[in-house]
């Protein structure tokens, strides 16, 4: 299969910049929707430690700027973090590490603030949303490396954050859903490289309409949608792939942390948790690959009972991020969020 058409980075940036402007504007208007999304309790800046001067195959030099990684932290009201910078006297909370969507080239860690509110309210967990680097300035594997970096930092600073490093969940939307699967596998390899053998436990993944197989072309993905008129615009998805996979070799598209659906069975068993919840949109070109992936998880491990996938009927990709015409938060979205949070809470309570 052909790789995305090569384009100079400067030209891709020109194409992406207006999209970033309008995306930021849309999320700014979302702050007017009642009830308003919460603001982060705190912002943490950490230094990157994973070398980023080479690609997976060691051939492509990458942009070495932006050495800081931002983490947006949301605490439940029970934590009272605003008055207690180091709440060591409180019982540590579970932590949910979240990755936003928008095709690896748009968006911010605060885009999923309403999901963060649901988690803090229904799960009583801390949410850490990762401001990973975006393409085309930082193509694959920059976002993945940032996810690994964030998890390593959280594990090593769990006491400072007031979280339990043995009760970690990952969540992500669209591109972030891909990271929710890819990051733990890359993390496992990174911990092995650093000779870190214990001290963390990813026990749950909540993936919303994720992309999990980059060996497929966009044409193949679009063909799986039963409603072709509901696909995302081809010009947009093609731009996503061109930016994110800039300079990526064809063989690298099957790497397990880029295409989790193609990961060896032993990696899936070792690095992914038993309990996984996936939600896909009925009219979405990514639905089929997510369903196939979940079916594989169940069948290859003699029936992994903790895997659950549901189709959100009558919806298209990114259904929960659509602008509200009446400036009221959709109770239907909140209901689906709560259902996933209930499953997450059950898993945390078992630990």
């Amino acid at each position: 299969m052909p790789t995305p058409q090569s384009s100079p980075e400067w030209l891709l940036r020109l194409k992406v910049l207006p999209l970033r402007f309008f995306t930021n504007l849309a999320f700014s208007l979302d702050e007017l929707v009642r009830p308003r999304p919460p603001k982060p309790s705190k912002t943490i800046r950490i230094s990157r430690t994973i070398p980023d001067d080479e690609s997976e195959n060691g051939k492509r030099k990458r942009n070495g700027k932006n050495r800081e990684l931002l983490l947006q932290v949301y605490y439940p009201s029970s934590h009272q973090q605003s008055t207690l910078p180091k709440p060591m006297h409180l019982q540590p909370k579970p932590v949910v590490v979240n990755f936003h969507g928008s095709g690896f080239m748009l968006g911010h860690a605060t885009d999923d603030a309403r999901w963060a509110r649901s988690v803090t309210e229904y799960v009583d967990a801390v949410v850490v949303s990762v401001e990973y680097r975006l393409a085309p300035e930082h193509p694959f594997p920059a976002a993945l490396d940032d996810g690994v970096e964030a998890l390593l930092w959280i594990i090593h600073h769990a006491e400072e954050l007031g979280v339990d490093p043995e009760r970690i969940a990952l969540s992500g939307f669209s591109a972030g859903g891909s990271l929710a699967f890819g990051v733990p596998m890359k993390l496992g390899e990174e911990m092995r490289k650093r000779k870190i053998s214990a001290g963390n436990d990813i026990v749950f993944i909540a993936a919303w309409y994720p992309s999990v197989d980059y060996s497929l072309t966009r044409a193949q993905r679009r063909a799986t949608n039963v409603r072709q008129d509901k696909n995302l615009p081809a010009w947009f998805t093609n731009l996503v792939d061109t930016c994110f996979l800039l300079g990526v070799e064809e063989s690298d598209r099957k790497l397990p942390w880029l295409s989790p659906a193609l990961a060896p069975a032993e990696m899936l068993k070792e690095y992914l948790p038993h309990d996984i919840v996936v939600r896909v949109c009925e009219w979405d070109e990514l639905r089929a690959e997510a369903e196939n992936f979940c079916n594989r998880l169940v069948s290859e491990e003699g029936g992994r009972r903790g895997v659950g996938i549901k189709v959100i009927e009558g919806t298209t990709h990114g259904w929960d991020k659509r602008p509200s015409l009446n400036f009221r938060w959709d109770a239907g979205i909140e209901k689906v969020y709560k259902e996933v949070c209930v499953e997450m809470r059950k898993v945390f309570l078992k630990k």
Side-chain angles (χ1 to χ4, degrees):
M1 298 178 186
T3 56
Q5 183 178 356
S6 178
S7 298
E9 183 183 316
W10 67 266
L11 179 58
L12 294 175
R13 292 183 69 179
L14 284 179
K15 293 179 179 180
V16 169
L17 283 175
L19 296 178
R20 289 178 178 167
F21 172 80
F22 287 111
T23 299
N24 293 339
L25 178 61
F27 277 102
S28 296
L29 292 175
D30 183 63
E31 294 185 6
L32 302 177
V33 175
R34 304 285 182 163
R36 291 181 175 176
K39 300 290 186 182
S41 305
K42 64 188 298 186
T43 299
I44 298 174
R45 299 174 184 271
I46 67 175
S47 297
R48 293 185 174 86
T49 61
I50 298 176
D52 69 345
D53 59 341
E54 292 182 343
S55 68
E56 289 287 341
N57 57 24
K59 296 179 180 178
R60 177 170 52 86
K61 295 292 182 180
R62 292 171 49 204
N63 193 329
K65 298 180 180 179
N66 295 347
R67 295 303 309 162
E68 281 191 332
L69 175 62
L70 268 62
L71 307 178
Q72 301 291 0
V73 185
Y74 299 82
Y75 281 97
S77 57
S78 61
H79 216 64
Q80 301 177 358
Q81 173 66 13
S82 59
T83 58
L84 296 171
K86 294 185 178 181
M88 292 183 289
H89 74 288
L90 298 176
Q91 287 293 325
K93 301 284 187 184
V95 58
V96 180
V97 183
N98 182 70
F99 305 103
H100 68 84
S102 296
F104 297 104
M105 65 180 189
L106 311 172
H108 296 284
T110 52
D111 292 351
D112 299 322
R114 297 185 187 278
W115 163 245
R117 181 179 59 198
S118 295
V119 172
T120 57
E121 179 178 346
Y122 302 129
V123 186
D124 195 29
V126 177
V127 176
V128 180
S129 198
V130 182
E131 185 85 5
Y132 58 82
R133 288 167 294 174
L134 301 176
E137 298 90 340
H138 305 281
F140 174 82
L144 190 84
D145 288 344
D146 288 352
V148 171
E149 196 80 70
L151 272 170
L152 286 171
W153 190 91
I154 291 166
I155 292 166
H156 294 145
H157 296 79
E159 185 175 356
E160 175 186 338
L161 281 173
V163 301
D164 184 352
E166 295 185 351
R167 291 190 293 167
I168 299 174
L170 305 182
S171 66
F173 295 75
S174 189
S178 175
L179 292 174
F181 287 115
V183 165
M185 287 189 280
K186 188 66 181 295
L187 172 68
E189 295 299 304
E190 186 67 25
M191 293 181 73
R192 179 176 297 175
K193 184 189 304 181
R194 299 188 184 198
K195 299 181 180 179
I196 303 172
S197 58
N200 77 97
D201 193 359
I202 298 172
V203 299
F204 189 89
I205 290 177
W208 302 86
Y209 39 90
S211 54
V212 293
D213 187 354
Y214 271 94
S215 72
L216 299 172
T217 66
R218 279 294 170 176
Q220 289 173 316
R221 284 171 158 173
R222 285 192 286 267
T224 65
N225 195 344
V226 295
R227 287 286 302 272
Q228 291 289 299
D229 60 313
K230 299 293 185 179
N231 277 330
L232 291 173
W235 65 264
F236 177 78
T237 55
N238 290 338
L239 181 61
V240 165
D241 289 351
T242 303
C243 290
F244 179 52
L245 301 176
L246 184 64
V248 173
E249 300 290 338
E250 175 68 20
S251 58
D252 284 347
R253 298 183 76 175
K254 295 183 179 180
L255 286 166
W257 28 83
L258 177 58
S259 295
L262 304 181
E266 58 271 18
M267 288 191 71
L268 297 176
K269 185 176 182 179
E270 182 176 1
Y271 296 140
L272 296 189
H274 176 269
D275 295 283
I276 297 172
V277 168
V278 178
R279 293 293 180 266
V280 293
C281 304
E282 181 179 11
W283 303 320
D284 187 359
E285 63 191 59
L286 300 182
R287 171 186 170 181
E289 64 192 74
E291 290 178 324
N292 292 336
F293 181 41
C294 288
N295 290 336
R296 183 189 168 202
L297 288 173
V298 172
S299 63
E300 285 193 354
E301 297 185 22
R304 187 196 282 233
R305 296 181 180 179
V307 175
I309 183 169
K310 287 185 178 179
V311 176
I312 306 168
E313 296 182 356
T315 60
T316 57
H317 189 86
W319 112 105
D320 57 323
K321 301 299 192 294
R322 304 295 182 188
S324 173
L325 298 180
N326 61 359
F327 288 92
R328 297 293 302 177
W329 175 238
D330 190 332
I333 298 174
E334 185 71 17
K335 180 181 177 181
V336 178
Y337 279 5
K338 184 176 181 180
E339 289 173 353
V340 174
C341 286
V342 168
E343 294 299 314
M344 184 187 297
R345 182 177 176 85
K346 288 179 182 177
V347 173
F348 281 146
L349 290 176
K350 292 178 186 176
K351 306 299 178 180

